[in-house]
Short mmCIF file of all heavy atoms in Angstrom, two decimals:
data_model
loop_
_atom_site.label_atom_id
_atom_site.label_comp_id
_atom_site.label_asym_id
_atom_site.label_seq_id
_atom_site.Cartn_x
_atom_site.Cartn_y
_atom_site.Cartn_z
N ASN A 1 162.00 37.83 61.25
CA ASN A 1 161.06 38.82 61.78
C ASN A 1 159.69 38.74 61.12
O ASN A 1 158.69 39.14 61.70
CB ASN A 1 161.64 40.23 61.59
CG ASN A 1 162.85 40.49 62.47
OD1 ASN A 1 163.00 39.83 63.48
ND2 ASN A 1 163.69 41.44 62.08
N GLN A 2 159.68 38.19 59.90
CA GLN A 2 158.41 38.08 59.19
C GLN A 2 157.59 36.89 59.66
O GLN A 2 156.39 36.81 59.44
CB GLN A 2 158.68 37.94 57.68
CG GLN A 2 159.17 39.23 57.03
CD GLN A 2 159.54 39.02 55.57
OE1 GLN A 2 159.82 37.90 55.16
NE2 GLN A 2 159.54 40.09 54.80
N VAL A 3 158.25 35.94 60.32
CA VAL A 3 157.55 34.74 60.76
C VAL A 3 156.77 35.03 62.04
O VAL A 3 157.35 35.37 63.06
CB VAL A 3 158.55 33.59 61.00
CG1 VAL A 3 157.83 32.36 61.52
CG2 VAL A 3 159.27 33.26 59.70
N LYS A 4 155.47 34.88 61.98
CA LYS A 4 154.63 35.19 63.14
C LYS A 4 154.38 33.95 63.99
O LYS A 4 154.18 34.04 65.18
CB LYS A 4 153.30 35.77 62.66
CG LYS A 4 153.46 37.10 61.93
CD LYS A 4 152.12 37.62 61.44
CE LYS A 4 152.29 38.94 60.69
NZ LYS A 4 151.00 39.45 60.17
N ASP A 5 154.37 32.79 63.36
CA ASP A 5 154.21 31.55 64.11
C ASP A 5 154.90 30.44 63.34
O ASP A 5 155.39 30.64 62.23
CB ASP A 5 152.73 31.21 64.33
CG ASP A 5 151.96 31.17 63.01
OD1 ASP A 5 152.34 30.35 62.13
OD2 ASP A 5 151.01 31.94 62.86
N ASN A 6 154.99 29.29 63.92
CA ASN A 6 155.74 28.17 63.32
C ASN A 6 155.10 27.64 62.05
O ASN A 6 155.74 26.92 61.29
CB ASN A 6 155.87 27.02 64.33
CG ASN A 6 156.74 27.42 65.51
OD1 ASN A 6 157.63 28.25 65.36
ND2 ASN A 6 156.48 26.83 66.67
N SER A 7 153.85 27.99 61.80
CA SER A 7 153.17 27.48 60.62
C SER A 7 153.53 28.27 59.37
O SER A 7 153.30 27.83 58.25
CB SER A 7 151.65 27.53 60.83
OG SER A 7 151.21 28.86 60.97
N GLU A 8 154.09 29.47 59.55
CA GLU A 8 154.42 30.29 58.40
C GLU A 8 155.78 29.89 57.86
O GLU A 8 156.76 29.82 58.59
CB GLU A 8 154.43 31.78 58.78
CG GLU A 8 154.61 32.70 57.58
CD GLU A 8 154.41 34.15 57.94
OE1 GLU A 8 153.86 34.41 59.04
OE2 GLU A 8 154.79 35.02 57.15
N LYS A 9 155.84 29.63 56.59
CA LYS A 9 157.07 29.16 55.96
C LYS A 9 158.03 30.32 55.71
O LYS A 9 157.65 31.38 55.26
CB LYS A 9 156.74 28.48 54.62
CG LYS A 9 157.94 27.86 53.95
CD LYS A 9 157.53 27.17 52.65
CE LYS A 9 158.73 26.55 51.96
NZ LYS A 9 158.35 25.88 50.69
N VAL A 10 159.31 30.07 56.05
CA VAL A 10 160.34 31.07 55.79
C VAL A 10 160.70 31.02 54.32
O VAL A 10 161.02 29.97 53.77
CB VAL A 10 161.60 30.80 56.65
CG1 VAL A 10 162.71 31.79 56.28
CG2 VAL A 10 161.26 30.91 58.13
N SER A 11 160.67 32.17 53.66
CA SER A 11 160.98 32.20 52.24
C SER A 11 162.47 32.43 52.04
O SER A 11 163.13 33.05 52.87
CB SER A 11 160.20 33.32 51.55
OG SER A 11 160.59 34.57 52.08
N TYR A 12 163.01 31.90 50.92
CA TYR A 12 164.40 32.13 50.56
C TYR A 12 164.46 33.29 49.57
O TYR A 12 163.75 33.33 48.59
CB TYR A 12 164.99 30.88 49.90
CG TYR A 12 165.17 29.72 50.84
CD1 TYR A 12 164.31 28.63 50.81
CD2 TYR A 12 166.20 29.73 51.77
CE1 TYR A 12 164.48 27.57 51.68
CE2 TYR A 12 166.36 28.67 52.64
CZ TYR A 12 165.51 27.58 52.59
OH TYR A 12 165.67 26.55 53.44
N ASP A 13 165.34 34.23 49.86
CA ASP A 13 165.58 35.32 48.91
C ASP A 13 167.03 35.26 48.45
O ASP A 13 167.73 36.25 48.44
CB ASP A 13 165.27 36.67 49.55
CG ASP A 13 165.30 37.80 48.52
OD1 ASP A 13 165.13 37.51 47.33
OD2 ASP A 13 165.49 38.95 48.93
N GLY A 14 167.46 34.04 48.11
CA GLY A 14 168.85 33.86 47.73
C GLY A 14 169.67 33.44 48.92
O GLY A 14 170.19 32.33 48.99
N ASN A 15 169.78 34.33 49.91
CA ASN A 15 170.45 34.03 51.16
C ASN A 15 171.90 33.58 51.01
O ASN A 15 172.35 32.68 51.70
CB ASN A 15 169.67 32.98 51.96
CG ASN A 15 168.32 33.49 52.43
OD1 ASN A 15 167.87 34.54 51.99
ND2 ASN A 15 167.67 32.75 53.30
N LEU A 16 172.62 34.20 50.10
CA LEU A 16 174.07 34.02 50.02
C LEU A 16 174.73 35.26 50.59
O LEU A 16 174.44 36.38 50.17
CB LEU A 16 174.54 33.83 48.58
CG LEU A 16 174.50 32.43 47.96
CD1 LEU A 16 175.13 32.47 46.58
CD2 LEU A 16 175.19 31.39 48.83
N LYS A 17 175.62 35.05 51.54
CA LYS A 17 176.41 36.15 52.08
C LYS A 17 177.87 35.86 51.72
O LYS A 17 178.42 34.82 52.11
CB LYS A 17 176.25 36.26 53.59
CG LYS A 17 177.12 37.34 54.23
CD LYS A 17 176.95 37.32 55.75
CE LYS A 17 177.88 38.33 56.40
NZ LYS A 17 177.76 38.30 57.88
N ILE A 18 178.50 36.77 50.99
CA ILE A 18 179.87 36.54 50.51
C ILE A 18 180.76 37.67 51.02
O ILE A 18 180.49 38.84 50.79
CB ILE A 18 179.91 36.46 48.98
CG1 ILE A 18 178.97 35.34 48.50
CG2 ILE A 18 181.33 36.21 48.48
CD1 ILE A 18 178.77 35.29 47.02
N THR A 19 181.80 37.27 51.74
CA THR A 19 182.71 38.23 52.35
C THR A 19 184.10 38.06 51.77
O THR A 19 184.61 36.94 51.68
CB THR A 19 182.76 38.02 53.88
OG1 THR A 19 181.44 38.05 54.41
CG2 THR A 19 183.60 39.10 54.54
N PHE A 20 184.72 39.18 51.39
CA PHE A 20 186.07 39.16 50.82
C PHE A 20 187.06 39.78 51.81
O PHE A 20 186.79 40.84 52.38
CB PHE A 20 186.12 39.96 49.51
CG PHE A 20 185.37 39.31 48.37
CD1 PHE A 20 184.01 39.53 48.22
CD2 PHE A 20 186.03 38.49 47.46
CE1 PHE A 20 183.31 38.93 47.18
CE2 PHE A 20 185.34 37.90 46.42
CZ PHE A 20 183.99 38.10 46.28
N ASN A 21 188.19 39.10 51.98
CA ASN A 21 189.25 39.63 52.81
C ASN A 21 190.04 40.69 52.06
O ASN A 21 190.56 41.63 52.64
CB ASN A 21 190.18 38.50 53.27
CG ASN A 21 190.89 38.82 54.57
OD1 ASN A 21 190.78 39.90 55.09
ND2 ASN A 21 191.63 37.85 55.08
N ASP A 22 190.15 40.53 50.75
CA ASP A 22 190.87 41.48 49.91
C ASP A 22 189.93 42.62 49.54
O ASP A 22 188.72 42.43 49.39
CB ASP A 22 191.38 40.80 48.64
CG ASP A 22 192.24 39.59 48.95
OD1 ASP A 22 193.26 39.77 49.62
OD2 ASP A 22 191.87 38.47 48.55
N THR A 23 190.50 43.82 49.38
CA THR A 23 189.65 44.98 49.10
C THR A 23 189.76 45.49 47.67
O THR A 23 188.76 45.88 47.08
CB THR A 23 189.99 46.12 50.07
OG1 THR A 23 191.39 46.46 49.93
CG2 THR A 23 189.71 45.72 51.51
N ASP A 24 190.99 45.50 47.10
CA ASP A 24 191.16 46.08 45.77
C ASP A 24 192.05 45.20 44.90
O ASP A 24 192.69 44.26 45.39
CB ASP A 24 191.73 47.50 45.87
CG ASP A 24 193.08 47.54 46.57
OD1 ASP A 24 194.06 47.03 46.01
OD2 ASP A 24 193.15 48.09 47.69
N LEU A 25 192.10 45.50 43.61
CA LEU A 25 192.83 44.66 42.66
C LEU A 25 194.34 44.76 42.83
O LEU A 25 195.06 43.80 42.54
CB LEU A 25 192.44 45.03 41.23
CG LEU A 25 190.97 44.86 40.84
CD1 LEU A 25 190.79 44.99 39.34
CD2 LEU A 25 190.42 43.52 41.32
N PHE A 26 194.84 45.89 43.31
CA PHE A 26 196.27 46.01 43.54
C PHE A 26 196.70 45.10 44.68
O PHE A 26 197.75 44.44 44.63
CB PHE A 26 196.66 47.46 43.85
CG PHE A 26 198.13 47.65 44.11
CD1 PHE A 26 199.04 47.53 43.06
CD2 PHE A 26 198.60 47.94 45.37
CE1 PHE A 26 200.40 47.69 43.29
CE2 PHE A 26 199.95 48.11 45.60
CZ PHE A 26 200.85 47.98 44.56
N GLN A 27 195.89 45.03 45.73
CA GLN A 27 196.17 44.14 46.85
C GLN A 27 196.18 42.69 46.38
O GLN A 27 197.05 41.91 46.78
CB GLN A 27 195.11 44.34 47.95
CG GLN A 27 195.34 43.49 49.19
CD GLN A 27 194.26 43.70 50.25
OE1 GLN A 27 193.31 44.44 50.03
NE2 GLN A 27 194.42 43.07 51.38
N ILE A 28 195.25 42.34 45.52
CA ILE A 28 195.19 40.98 44.98
C ILE A 28 196.41 40.68 44.12
O ILE A 28 197.01 39.60 44.20
CB ILE A 28 193.89 40.80 44.17
CG1 ILE A 28 192.68 40.82 45.12
CG2 ILE A 28 193.91 39.49 43.38
CD1 ILE A 28 191.36 40.94 44.41
N LEU A 29 196.80 41.64 43.28
CA LEU A 29 197.97 41.47 42.42
C LEU A 29 199.21 41.16 43.24
O LEU A 29 199.98 40.25 42.92
CB LEU A 29 198.19 42.74 41.59
CG LEU A 29 199.36 42.70 40.60
CD1 LEU A 29 199.05 41.80 39.43
CD2 LEU A 29 199.68 44.11 40.10
N GLN A 30 199.42 41.89 44.31
CA GLN A 30 200.60 41.68 45.14
C GLN A 30 200.50 40.41 45.98
O GLN A 30 201.45 39.63 46.08
CB GLN A 30 200.80 42.88 46.07
CG GLN A 30 201.34 44.12 45.38
CD GLN A 30 201.89 45.13 46.35
OE1 GLN A 30 201.25 45.43 47.36
NE2 GLN A 30 203.08 45.64 46.08
N LYS A 31 199.33 40.19 46.55
CA LYS A 31 199.16 39.07 47.49
C LYS A 31 199.33 37.71 46.83
O LYS A 31 199.94 36.81 47.40
CB LYS A 31 197.77 39.18 48.13
CG LYS A 31 197.46 38.11 49.17
CD LYS A 31 196.10 38.39 49.78
CE LYS A 31 195.73 37.35 50.82
NZ LYS A 31 194.41 37.65 51.42
N TYR A 32 198.81 37.56 45.62
CA TYR A 32 198.80 36.25 44.98
C TYR A 32 199.86 36.09 43.89
O TYR A 32 200.05 34.99 43.38
CB TYR A 32 197.42 35.96 44.40
CG TYR A 32 196.33 35.97 45.45
CD1 TYR A 32 195.45 37.04 45.54
CD2 TYR A 32 196.21 34.93 46.37
CE1 TYR A 32 194.48 37.08 46.53
CE2 TYR A 32 195.24 34.96 47.35
CZ TYR A 32 194.37 36.04 47.42
OH TYR A 32 193.41 36.08 48.39
N ASN A 33 200.54 37.16 43.53
CA ASN A 33 201.59 37.07 42.52
C ASN A 33 202.98 37.32 43.08
O ASN A 33 203.97 37.02 42.42
CB ASN A 33 201.33 38.06 41.38
CG ASN A 33 200.13 37.67 40.56
OD1 ASN A 33 200.18 36.79 39.73
ND2 ASN A 33 199.01 38.35 40.81
N GLN A 34 203.04 37.88 44.27
CA GLN A 34 204.33 38.12 44.91
C GLN A 34 204.24 37.72 46.38
O GLN A 34 204.56 38.49 47.28
CB GLN A 34 204.71 39.60 44.77
CG GLN A 34 204.93 40.01 43.32
CD GLN A 34 205.32 41.46 43.17
OE1 GLN A 34 205.04 42.29 44.03
NE2 GLN A 34 206.00 41.78 42.08
N ALA A 35 203.80 36.49 46.59
CA ALA A 35 203.58 36.01 47.95
C ALA A 35 204.87 35.96 48.75
O ALA A 35 204.85 35.97 49.99
CB ALA A 35 202.95 34.61 47.91
#
């Protein structure tokens, strides 16, 4: 949205998006230790 024309360079602000399927530590404990 900040880019007004093709000459303007897109800046990087990290741009890492990290998504977790697990929500809490108890879920992780059961899921990976009692599969």
Side-chain angles (χ1 to χ4, degrees):
N1 291 337
Q2 288 175 338
V3 177
K4 296 178 181 179
D5 55 59
N6 293 332
S7 64
E8 187 171 345
K9 185 178 179 181
V10 175
S11 63
Y12 291 105
D13 189 22
N15 294 11
L16 275 185
K17 176 183 176 182
I18 302 171
T19 307
F20 291 85
N21 206 354
D22 305 300
T23 58
D24 59 68
L25 299 191
F26 180 70
Q27 182 181 3
I28 291 168
L29 182 72
Q30 285 196 314
K31 182 176 180 180
Y32 301 105
N33 291 282
Q34 296 181 336

